[in-house]
Amino acid sequence: MAAESPLSIADRSACVTAQVRQSRLSLCSTGYRLQSVDSPTSTLVLRFDGQVFTETGSKVEDQQIVVVHAVVGIFKLEQHSYVLAVTDSHLQGTICGKDIYEVSGVCALPLDYDSGKIVFQELLQEQTTTASGDKSTAVPRKSYSTGDVAGLAAAQLENSSRVDMNDDLTGEAGFRWLSPQISRMFRPSKDSLVSGTEDGATGSSTPQTEREGSAVVETSSGVRKTSTSLERMERRVVEEIARVFSTSGMFYAFDYDLTRSLQAKDRQVIDGVSEPLACIADRDYWFNWHIQQPLLTGGGLAWALPLVQGSVQIGRCQISKDDVVQISVVSRRNWRRIGMRYERRGADTNGNVANFVETEQILELESKQESGQHVDVGAHPTHIASFVQTRGSMPFLWTQTGAGLHPAAVVAGTDDSNAAT
């Protein structure tokens, strides 16, 4: 499977800024502002009307700020668009002297002032209690405020029409890349359909929900739903997305490309320090690539941080008095055909294999005898070795019945169609 970079070699010449490490998030009447911690004169602006752009100039001091570790992306649902940001992470270790982090908390910020202010205030309160060290009164992390925002349903329906994000990021098809379970939430159900009842006196058909005074809206898929059911579905989807990015093994680094093996970097002479990772990352393993499109097209390359889903394990071993070895195992999962084992099998017509994973084992050896003085492993390793192996479902078109303990796989399609994949 060939590696694919989001930017061509010609476009990479435009990547002149460094990767933004952390940002100070503030809320204003028109949207969110993310000011780079390392470069305070650089600011990413995410407006409520859907515009994304950057500003450079004098440093702006905001009294109320929340420090976010990274911007995961922007996605759109039926009522709102949301900014997904990493609010908590921990250091997993170092590889080649570069820090590797695992995401442990995210927050979905609605692109609407009223509901966004509620979530922003929750983040401020949580940051205050964490800084004071009083964890007994810490506010639980929420991706969506259920009670207060539900009371703003009318305002949400009115303001949601102002947001104009990419249509391919919405609906059932837009979330197949993330999880079949999430995309299934968008399928119409009997409970969500508005049923009509015949009025014998007038002969007209009046929806039951309209007679009760509930608002009726039409989703992008053409299904009519009540505002209450739509609100409930959207809240559930947002919570599930936040759970996926908080607990499913998401890893990132600011100056190390986790999407590519050391061998691939050596072949393509890639330097991930001098330019944003968005300019060099392999799209196949860039898990949040879809929802970072507004940043990539809006000039926010420096804020677009690739996340890798999988596992990163790092261990050190003293093998002699003068020699220390560090072993790192990095597994990165291809997002193009992911899902639960019995819901994603075999290959598709484009050759993407279900749950395709690339696992890289990296050995770093630091020898005092060769370097003259001992240096921590990873800072200046004397020797580096990398071994890569891949795994995935059987790479052809096949079917399998659900009956029996050991159902046999049956090849589907013709030999030509399987050879084409």
Side-chain angles (χ1 to χ4, degrees):
M1 189 173 296
E4 186 177 10
S5 176
L7 298 180
S8 64
I9 300 299
D11 293 334
R12 287 175 56 185
S13 60
C15 299
V16 295
T17 57
Q19 183 73 47
V20 172
R21 292 177 175 267
Q22 287 185 335
S23 299
R24 297 183 178 93
L25 173 68
S26 60
L27 175 69
C28 60
S29 60
T30 58
Y32 300 103
R33 297 174 60 87
L34 292 109
Q35 189 178 77
S36 172
V37 173
D38 296 331
S39 179
T41 58
S42 299
T43 303
L44 176 68
V45 180
L46 306 174
R47 291 174 57 93
F48 295 140
D49 61 5
Q51 297 183 48
V52 178
F53 56 91
T54 57
E55 292 181 348
T56 57
S58 59
K59 177 180 178 181
V60 178
E61 295 289 350
D62 291 298
Q63 294 182 351
Q64 293 186 326
I65 62 169
V66 175
V67 176
V68 297
H69 299 243
V71 179
V72 178
I74 302 174
F75 62 94
K76 179 183 178 182
L77 299 182
E78 295 290 350
Q79 290 187 290
H80 281 304
S81 290
Y82 296 84
V83 179
L84 197 63
V86 177
T87 54
D88 195 11
S89 62
H90 62 269
L91 180 65
Q92 187 74 1
T94 61
I95 298 178
C96 296
K98 310 299 183 182
D99 293 338
I100 310 298
Y101 299 90
E102 181 177 10
V103 176
S104 54
V106 299
C107 181
L109 298 161
L111 280 174
D112 170 77
Y113 180 77
D114 293 327
S115 50
K117 183 178 180 180
I118 297 173
V119 180
F120 185 77
Q121 291 298 325
E122 290 179 351
L123 289 176
L124 279 175
Q125 184 177 353
E126 181 179 352
Q127 180 175 266
T128 302
T129 55
T130 303
S132 63
D134 184 9
K135 299 189 184 223
S136 61
T137 59
V139 178
R141 184 177 308 281
K142 295 181 180 179
S143 60
Y144 196 79
S145 182
T146 57
D148 295 334
V149 178
L152 299 172
Q156 291 174 350
L157 291 172
E158 179 182 355
N159 295 333
S160 61
S161 61
R162 296 183 302 159
V163 182
D164 185 17
M165 293 295 176
N166 296 330
D167 291 338
D168 59 347
L169 302 180
T170 66
E172 178 186 349
F175 284 98
R176 287 174 183 168
W177 64 274
L178 181 59
S179 169
Q181 290 72 34
I182 293 180
S183 65
R184 193 181 296 118
M185 296 179 186
F186 287 91
R187 298 175 184 172
S189 61
K190 294 181 180 179
D191 295 336
S192 64
L193 295 176
V194 178
S195 59
T197 57
E198 191 72 16
D199 191 337
T202 61
S204 62
S205 177
T206 304
Q208 182 70 24
T209 53
E210 289 184 348
R211 295 214 315 259
E212 296 174 354
S214 299
V216 179
V217 295
E218 184 170 336
T219 65
S220 58
S221 59
V223 180
R224 302 182 75 212
K225 298 183 179 181
T226 66
S227 59
T228 303
S229 64
L230 191 61
E231 179 76 21
R232 183 169 58 251
M233 182 190 72
E234 180 155 320
R235 181 168 61 248
R236 181 184 172 192
V237 171
V238 171
E239 291 173 351
E240 179 66 13
I241 291 175
R243 185 195 65 80
V244 168
F245 280 95
S246 300
T247 62
S248 300
M250 300 291 175
F251 298 88
Y252 68 91
F254 294 113
D255 49 7
Y256 184 85
D257 184 13
L258 280 173
T259 66
R260 298 180 187 268
S261 65
L262 290 176
Q263 298 156 340
K265 296 173 188 176
D266 182 68
R267 288 194 302 267
Q268 300 186 19
V269 195
I270 291 177
D271 179 11
V273 179
S274 60
E275 54 188 348
L277 292 172
C279 299
I280 59 177
D282 182 358
R283 190 184 301 175
D284 287 338
Y285 302 103
W286 184 345
F287 190 80
N288 55 327
W289 178 79
H290 278 77
I291 57 178
Q292 288 206 333
Q293 292 308 298
L295 300 180
L296 299 177
T297 58
L301 281 173
W303 280 266
L305 186 66
L307 298 184
V308 169
Q309 197 224 358
S311 175
V312 176
Q313 301 294 327
I314 301 173
R316 294 180 52 163
C317 179
Q318 185 86 33
I319 58 177
S320 68
K321 180 180 179 181
D322 298 324
D323 298 323
V324 179
V325 64
Q326 175 174 293
I327 303 176
S328 305
V329 179
V330 179
S331 292
R332 48 185 76 94
R333 184 159 76 152
N334 190 309
W335 57 263
R336 294 187 183 275
R337 188 167 172 78
I338 64 175
M340 296 179 65
R341 180 180 178 185
Y342 290 102
E343 294 190 5
R344 283 289 185 270
R345 314 297 294 271
D348 61 16
T349 54
N350 294 322
N352 299 310
V353 176
N355 294 316
F356 184 84
V357 177
E358 178 183 275
T359 299
E360 179 183 15
Q361 178 179 281
I362 304 173
L363 273 70
E364 303 175 57
L365 174 64
E366 178 62 40
S367 177
K368 181 179 179 180
Q369 295 178 346
E370 296 188 22
S371 61
Q373 59 181 3
H374 183 74
V375 182
D376 289 340
V377 171
H380 300 286
T382 305
H383 300 287
I384 302 178
S386 171
F387 176 74
V388 177
Q389 59 182 359
T390 59
R391 63 180 176 88
S393 184
M394 293 185 291
F396 52 86
L397 304 176
W398 56 279
T399 61
Q400 188 179 42
T401 61
L405 296 177
H406 303 285
V410 179
V411 178
T414 64
D415 293 340
D416 293 337
S417 62
N418 276 289
T421 60

